[in-house]
Amino acid sequence: MSEELHALHAAVEDRLRGIELRYTGGRRAIVEVLVEAGHPVSIGDIAERLPDLPRSSAYRHLVDLQAAGIVRRVAANDEFARFELTEDLTEHHHHLLCTSCGKVSDITAPVAFERTISEQLDRLADAQGFQPQSHRVDVLGLCAACR
Ligand SMILES: [Zn+2]
Ligand SMILES: [Zn+2]
C-alpha cells in the first residue's frame, strides 16, 4: 500500500473512532471502492463492485461514513445520489451533474479560476459579515451521452 493510501486509511479510522465506530471490513471495502473509482459512485456502482455486501449494509455504512465526515453525498437531485470522499481527504474540485441520467464527473479548475471565484465569493460573504471557509460549485446540465 502506498504511503498516501496508508495515511488515508489512518485518517478514516481516526474519524470513525471520533464517533465511537470501528473501521470494520465493510466500511473499509466501501472506502476502497471510493478510492479506486476516483469519482463519485452510486449505490448501484458499490453493489456491482461488492456483490457480497447487502445493499442495506452499504447504505448503513455510507450513513456512518458521512456522519464521521469521511464521505459526502453529491447529487443533481433527490433521484440520483452519488458518494465521494470528502475534499479534505482528497482535493478541492467541482462537479458536472447530468440531470437526465445522474452521471457525475469531477472537474478540477485552474488555479486562476479558483483564485477569482474565491475572491468574488469572499467579497459577497464579507458584505454580510460572513466568514467563508470553502465553496461548492456544481454545474447542472446534460452529459455528452444525454444531450
Ligand atoms: Zn447523462
Ligand atoms: Zn473551487
Side-chain angles (χ1 to χ4, degrees):
M1 197 192 306
S2 74
E3 226 168 271
E4 206 178 319
L5 195 55
H6 190 82
L8 173 74
H9 285 298
V12 168
E13 183 163 24
D14 205 54
R15 286 182 195 189
L16 282 168
R17 198 181 302 125
I19 60 166
E20 287 170 19
L21 290 176
R22 285 185 310 118
Y23 198 12
T24 57
R27 292 181 183 128
R28 192 178 177 98
I30 288 184
V31 168
E32 278 167 1
V33 167
L34 296 178
V35 170
E36 279 159 27
H39 58 81
V41 300
S42 66
I43 277 280
D45 297 331
I46 292 172
E48 213 167 277
R49 298 288 309 278
L50 303 173
D52 296 333
L53 183 73
R55 274 187 192 224
S56 55
S57 305
Y59 272 117
R60 255 199 335 273
H61 292 325
L62 283 167
V63 167
D64 293 339
L65 291 166
Q66 286 178 89
I70 295 156
V71 165
R72 76 165 167 164
R73 191 174 178 278
V74 181
N77 52 46
D78 288 341
E79 198 183 341
F80 302 121
R82 294 284 190 284
F83 301 90
E84 68 178 5
L85 295 171
T86 51
E87 283 192 338
D88 56 337
L89 294 171
T90 54
E91 61 170 352
H92 177 63
H93 62 279
H94 300 265
H95 298 110
L96 301 177
L97 305 167
C98 179
T99 54
S100 172
C101 72
K103 181 177 162 59
V104 180
S105 311
D106 289 341
I107 40 172
T108 304
V111 174
F113 171 90
E114 289 296 343
R115 194 182 307 127
T116 304
I117 197 169
S118 291
E119 281 170 9
Q120 301 276 344
L121 291 173
D122 285 1
R123 199 167 304 140
L124 290 169
D126 191 56
Q128 303 220 18
F130 185 91
Q131 183 181 6
Q133 285 163 346
S134 64
H135 64 254
R136 292 180 186 174
V137 178
D138 291 344
V139 182
L140 303 180
L142 296 175
C143 74
C146 290
R147 64 186 292 178

